[in-house]
């Protein structure tokens, strides 16, 4: 019986996640506003620094920058931080402090380390990769007009982009280890 309830809950959760992403796409003005977000490197290992810049904003415009990830079990995670553009209408997350949101201060990787399950998900769920060799974790980065708090509907999307975070480099192989009660994996680099 509990299996059926858990299965129904997971199906409902997937539907909600798809509907939320569709709503974000529908409410998007990305590409029409003149605002752009650049994130690099676009493809990198998960522990490599990610540089995020936003351009085309009005001078001193306040925005919310959001990261959204769908985990391998279809759970949605997000993080957001509030920023104010400089006098040229630019925003560099490696230099500009977050005014609020999931963290405050200058945290270039803050949008990644502060990812939490969205409010409609089961609390305390972990973001994990089932098979680190199978593919990347996709991170959607969105710039929303105005300041928005977690759990509230954010303003329109002004710009968005996607980056790939890999958990193993090219050619890495995994060997399963088992000795008595000890289990593990040995990851070996190419060559």
């Amino acid at each position: 019986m509990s299996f059926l309830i858990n299965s129904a809950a997971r199906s409902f959760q997937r539907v909600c996640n798809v509907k939320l992403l569709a709503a974000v796409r529908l409410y998007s003005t990305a590409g029409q506003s003149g605002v752009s977000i650049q994130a690099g490197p676009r493809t990198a290992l998960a522990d490599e620094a990610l540089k995020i810049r936003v351009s085309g904003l009005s001078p001193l415009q306040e925005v919310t920058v959001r990261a959204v990830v769908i985990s391998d079990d279809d759970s949605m995670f997000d993080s957001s931080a509030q920023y104010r553009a400089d006098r040229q209408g630019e925003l560099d997350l490696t230099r500009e402090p977050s005014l609020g949101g999931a963290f405050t201060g200058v945290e270039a990787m803050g949008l990644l380390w502060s990812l939490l399950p969205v409010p409609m998900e089961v609390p305390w769920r972990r973001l994990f990769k089932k098979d680190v060799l199978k593919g990347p974790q996709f991170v959607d980065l969105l710039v929303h007009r105005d300041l928005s708090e977690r759990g509230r509907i954010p303003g329109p999307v002004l710009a968005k982009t996607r980056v790939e975070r890999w958990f193993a480099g090219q050619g890495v192989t995994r060997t399963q280890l088992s000795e008595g009660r000890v289990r593990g994996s040995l990851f070996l680099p190419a060559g």
Side-chain angles (χ1 to χ4, degrees):
M1 181 70 164
S2 81
F3 172 76
L4 291 173
I5 293 171
N6 288 339
S7 179
R10 280 193 301 274
S11 295
F12 177 74
Q13 174 186 354
R14 281 190 206 100
V15 168
C16 288
N17 287 345
V18 168
K19 287 181 179 178
L20 181 64
L21 284 177
V24 166
R25 288 188 186 107
L26 181 65
Y27 198 46
S28 174
T29 59
Q32 302 168 7
S33 65
V35 176
S36 66
I37 182 170
Q38 303 85 34
R42 292 186 72 70
T43 301
L45 291 174
D47 60 350
E48 288 183 52
L50 179 64
K51 293 183 173 99
I52 302 170
R53 295 179 50 98
V54 180
S55 58
L57 298 167
S58 300
L60 304 177
Q61 182 177 352
E62 293 180 331
V63 295
T64 300
V65 181
R66 229 171 124 223
V68 178
V69 173
I70 305 294
S71 70
D72 287 352
D73 65 352
D74 291 329
S75 298
M76 183 183 285
F77 292 76
D78 81 338
S79 175
S80 63
Q82 304 163 346
Y83 292 94
R84 182 175 296 121
D86 64 17
R87 294 195 184 281
Q88 287 75 41
E90 308 252 324
L91 178 60
D92 183 347
L93 275 57
T94 62
R95 292 185 323 213
E96 303 295 328
S98 166
L99 306 173
F103 57 91
T104 57
V106 178
E107 294 283 349
M109 298 287 285
L111 289 171
L112 298 181
W113 63 252
S114 64
L115 286 162
L116 291 172
V118 297
M120 68 183 168
E121 294 289 354
V122 176
W124 314 115
R125 185 176 288 277
R126 288 186 181 178
L127 176 60
F128 69 95
K129 189 83 175 121
K130 286 183 182 174
D131 187 348
V132 296
L133 297 179
K134 277 218 170 157
Q137 185 91 67
F138 294 103
V139 181
D140 291 314
L141 298 166
L142 303 105
V143 180
H144 294 274
R145 186 173 60 208
D146 301 322
L147 305 180
S148 51
E149 296 291 330
R150 180 173 168 74
R152 302 218 186 257
I153 296 173
V157 176
L158 301 175
K160 59 186 174 181
T161 192
R162 176 176 270 194
V163 294
E164 295 178 6
R165 308 300 282 177
W166 289 80
F167 293 89
Q170 286 282 0
V172 170
T173 58
R174 174 175 45 201
T175 303
Q176 299 289 7
L177 304 174
S178 174
E179 184 65 38
R181 295 186 337 207
V182 176
R183 304 284 185 266
S185 295
L186 173 65
F187 292 89
L188 296 171

